[in-house]
């Protein structure tokens, strides 16, 4: 908005965030055999800008720390073979699972402990809003518009892009229960209900049209 609107027009500009459906019932880990292993979810096209190599590097650090975890990567793209080769090279096949394309991301979210974003660039990802609605902790790079909706250690956890050690430390703290995730998740869900649901989006559009 700041880039495309100048002068007095700024006063007339209104930001309406996209919304997603409210998940009425969240049943965590309903189909998971070993519920004690922490599960991290990565959702997005397997492209350069999504920077999936970062989670692989972080996972390698965590493996050397003898931590138990699984990373489920949902998505397809031109980097798939390269990423799988790196996972093989680092002997991470027991830790990182490529799930391919799925139109049932909600189910993955309900069976995960945290959503991990690794992108170089983003707008305001719908995936984060969906995680909020599913009461799933968000751990994300602080890029693009993400900082507009995620406040560090309030309704999510932010870190700088390309810092695999920082990401590994955050995920390690999560596994070792050093992160007070319930308060962060509760804040995220409350903010989601207040600002990012489909209902709020529709009301905001209606308000604009009523004032025209």
């Amino acid at each position: 908005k700041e880039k495309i609107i100048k002068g007095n027009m700024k006063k007339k500009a209104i930001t309406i965030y996209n919304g997603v459906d409210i998940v009425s019932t969240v049943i965590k880990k309903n189909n998971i055999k070993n519920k004690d292993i922490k599960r991290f979810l990565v959702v997005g096209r397997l492209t350069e800008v999504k920077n999936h190599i970062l989670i692989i590097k972080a996972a390698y650090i965590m493996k050397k720390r003898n931590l138990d975890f699984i990373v489920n990567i949902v998505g397809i793209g031109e980097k798939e073979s390269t990423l799988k080769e790196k996972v093989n090279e680092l002997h991470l096949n027991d830790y990182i699972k490529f799930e391919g394309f799925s139109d049932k991301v909600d189910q993955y979210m309900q069976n995960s402990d945290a959503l991990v974003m690794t992108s170089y660039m983003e707008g305001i990802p719908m995936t984060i809003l969906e995680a909020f609605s599913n009461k799933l902790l968000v751990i994300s790079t602080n890029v693009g518009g993400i900082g507009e909706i995620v406040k560090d250690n309030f309704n999510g956890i932010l870190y700088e892009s390309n810092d695999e050690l920082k990401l590994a430390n955050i995920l390690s703290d999560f596994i070792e229960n050093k992160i007070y995730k319930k308060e962060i998740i509760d804040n995220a869900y409350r903010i989601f209900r207040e600002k990012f649901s489909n209902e709020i989006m529709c009301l905001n559009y209606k308000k604009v049209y009523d004032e025209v």
Side-chain angles (χ1 to χ4, degrees):
K1 183 177 73 175
E2 295 297 324
K3 288 182 179 179
I4 65 175
I5 298 176
K6 299 178 181 179
N8 292 331
M9 287 300 294
K10 286 185 179 180
K11 297 178 181 179
K12 299 181 180 180
I14 297 171
T15 300
I16 298 178
Y17 293 104
N18 286 331
V20 299
D21 289 330
I22 294 173
V23 178
S24 57
T25 303
V26 178
I27 304 174
K28 291 291 186 180
K29 295 190 174 182
N30 51 334
N31 295 316
I32 297 299
K33 292 181 179 178
N34 190 339
K35 298 182 180 181
D36 294 327
I37 295 178
K38 298 299 184 185
R39 295 176 179 271
F40 301 109
L41 178 65
V42 181
V43 179
R45 293 172 291 109
L46 305 185
T47 60
E48 186 71 27
V49 72
K50 296 297 185 180
N51 196 24
H52 289 83
I53 193 68
L54 188 64
I55 188 68
I56 295 174
K57 292 178 178 178
Y60 182 64
I61 295 171
M62 293 157 63
K63 174 191 173 186
K64 291 194 293 184
R65 294 174 178 173
N66 295 316
L67 297 171
D68 290 327
F69 64 92
I70 289 177
V71 178
N72 295 109
I73 298 178
V74 176
I76 56 175
E78 65 268 20
K79 288 291 181 179
E80 183 171 348
S81 60
T82 302
L83 294 170
K84 287 182 175 179
E85 287 173 7
K86 191 65 176 179
V87 167
N88 284 327
E89 176 189 329
L90 298 177
H91 305 289
L92 290 170
N93 293 289
D94 290 337
Y95 297 88
I96 296 180
K97 308 295 183 182
F98 290 89
E99 305 293 343
F101 171 80
S102 176
D103 58 359
K104 298 179 180 178
V105 174
D106 271 351
Q107 291 183 12
Y108 280 98
M109 288 188 172
Q110 291 169 21
N111 288 322
S112 301
D113 295 291
L115 173 76
V116 180
M117 301 283 293
T118 56
S119 303
Y120 288 125
M121 294 186 297
E122 285 287 353
I124 294 181
M126 297 296 287
T127 304
I128 289 182
L129 301 185
E130 290 169 354
F132 286 173
S133 74
N134 278 281
K135 297 184 179 180
L136 183 66
L137 180 70
V138 172
I139 300 169
S140 175
T141 48
N142 189 9
V143 297
I146 290 175
E148 290 186 40
I149 61 174
V150 178
K151 305 304 178 187
D152 189 33
N153 283 310
F154 175 71
N155 65 334
I157 298 174
L158 298 177
Y159 65 98
E160 298 304 314
S161 61
N162 255 351
D163 191 342
E164 64 263 26
L165 180 58
K166 178 65 174 179
L167 177 56
N169 288 340
I170 291 171
L171 300 183
S172 297
D173 285 348
F174 184 92
I175 292 170
E176 295 172 346
N177 296 313
K178 296 178 182 178
I179 293 175
Y180 299 105
K181 64 177 183 177
K182 184 180 185 306
E183 182 178 348
I184 295 174
I185 290 170
D186 288 346
N187 288 337
Y189 188 68
R190 176 174 54 80
I191 295 296
F192 164 74
R193 293 293 297 261
E194 292 173 357
K195 295 183 64 175
F196 300 117
S197 69
N198 271 338
E199 180 182 2
I200 295 299
M201 178 185 69
C202 292
L203 288 173
N204 286 335
Y205 275 114
K206 184 177 185 301
K207 181 179 179 182
V208 171
Y209 283 111
D210 288 345
E211 291 176 354
V212 174

